[in-house]
Amino acid sequence: MAGYRRQLYRDDAVVLRVQKLGESDRIITLLTRRHGRLRAVARGVRRTTSKFGARLEPFGHVDVQLAGDPKGNLGSSLHSISQAEGIDLYGKRFLGDYPRYTAASAIAETAERLTPIEREPALRLFQLTLGALKSLARGQHATTLVLDAYLLRGMALAGWAPALTACAVCGESGRHRAFSVPAGGAVCPDCRPPGAAHPAPATIDLMSALTTGDWVLADATDTGVRRECSGLVAAHLQWHLERALRSLPLVDRGAAPATGPPRVTGPGAPPDAVADAGAGDVSREMTE
């Protein structure tokens, strides 16, 4: 548009992903506090002389100055980053810790998938994402618990929370033993479809605890229950996203128990085992 001058504005954001652009630039995918998810070009950040290139790495909480229309009505859909100040660069704490790095990668990918429309405000998701990365950085709880709590609460924000205290089909309240991803969660004996999983009662209790923030109960669970919970959460999320998350199979969930979690079949089912992949594979995914 003739005579259009790009507007300058500031926001704080979480860096979700970076992609190479040309020889020295990058496209940075940000989840911002006030303007939702957006993409912006950071020029020259791959040069050794860049003043703020190191601040625009995945998982960092940054204060950025952007040039462009905040509402996306004028000019290019790609904004430009003119300044960046690091508030807390969590990615530096994850580089030498494969479980935390892969969990942070899954959180960032999920945040991007849950914001399909650019520049649509998503304050609660921003706060949830930032809180999950802070928790991973502090190491107060097991990595897989933080990730599953984030996925469950993210699905709740999107309207996909699994039914845990009532039948997902008929609404009958109670503690039901069967769990069906296509049906939407726990199901009673009358509504149980063929192929429904039968998780341990402790697994449903853990899912409820992670949803409500009962960390005393969550921290006391054993590895087998956590793995079974992770499988159901991953299956439920990917069913509603209608595609798999690339980073989830790489998350280190510890040694497999002697008796594994129930197999969940159908679209969006979780992988049977953690993929044998190095942290470099996830790093390339986040930076390309």
Side-chain angles (χ1 to χ4, degrees):
M1 180 178 293
Y4 168 65
R5 297 185 62 183
R6 306 191 87 187
Q7 176 183 347
L8 291 177
Y9 66 99
R10 299 193 75 91
D11 206 344
D12 68 305
V14 172
V15 179
L16 300 181
R17 184 159 58 99
V18 300
Q19 299 167 270
K20 295 178 181 178
L21 178 66
E23 295 184 357
S24 61
D25 306 336
R26 278 179 173 171
I27 297 176
I28 313 295
T29 301
L30 303 165
L31 180 60
T32 66
R33 184 181 296 274
R34 292 181 290 275
H35 301 93
R37 181 179 61 84
L38 55 84
R39 296 181 304 148
V41 176
R43 304 196 181 280
V45 296
R46 291 165 57 198
R47 298 192 185 114
T48 56
T49 56
S50 173
K51 295 181 179 179
F52 56 83
R55 304 168 196 166
L56 295 174
E57 294 293 336
F59 322 131
H61 182 202
V62 294
D63 177 24
V64 292
Q65 178 174 280
L66 301 124
D69 179 16
K71 297 183 179 179
N73 298 325
L74 298 172
S76 171
S77 61
L78 279 177
H79 295 195
S80 295
I81 297 176
S82 56
Q83 292 181 12
E85 298 293 336
I87 298 174
D88 207 331
L89 305 180
Y90 301 114
K92 293 182 178 180
R93 310 184 201 180
F94 303 153
L95 289 178
D97 190 323
Y98 179 76
R100 288 200 293 174
Y101 189 93
T102 52
S105 300
I107 288 171
E109 185 180 359
T110 302
E112 189 171 358
R113 297 284 181 84
L114 292 178
T115 51
I117 302 176
E118 290 193 9
R119 290 179 294 275
E120 183 174 84
L123 175 60
R124 295 181 65 188
L125 183 62
F126 169 82
Q127 293 172 329
L128 180 65
T129 304
L130 182 58
L133 293 175
K134 283 183 180 179
S135 183
L136 281 180
R138 293 171 180 169
Q140 296 174 323
H141 307 287
T143 298
T144 55
L145 294 181
V146 174
L147 173 59
D148 289 337
Y150 175 82
L151 298 181
L152 285 165
R153 297 178 195 184
M155 285 189 285
L157 292 179
W160 305 333
L164 300 173
T165 59
C167 176
V169 177
C170 68
E172 180 183 352
S173 61
R175 185 174 180 175
H176 304 298
R177 290 295 308 274
F179 190 99
S180 171
V181 170
V187 287
C188 67
D190 292 336
C191 300
R192 182 183 62 213
H198 291 79
T203 300
I204 301 298
D205 291 342
L206 176 57
M207 294 175 71
S208 298
L210 294 176
T211 302
T212 60
D214 185 355
W215 289 103
V216 174
L217 189 155
D219 290 336
T221 56
D222 59 34
T223 302
V225 170
R226 294 178 185 182
R227 285 180 60 88
E228 189 172 51
C229 171
S230 295
L232 294 177
V233 172
H236 195 85
L237 173 66
Q238 292 175 133
W239 175 273
H240 286 282
L241 289 176
E242 297 182 347
R243 60 183 297 186
L245 290 177
R246 295 177 61 188
S247 52
L248 270 183
L250 304 178
V251 175
D252 186 353
R253 301 189 184 278
T259 302
R263 182 178 179 86
V264 180
T265 59
D272 292 332
V274 178
D276 183 14
D281 297 330
V282 184
S283 178
R284 285 193 294 273
E285 178 185 337
M286 299 297 296
T287 57
E288 294 182 357

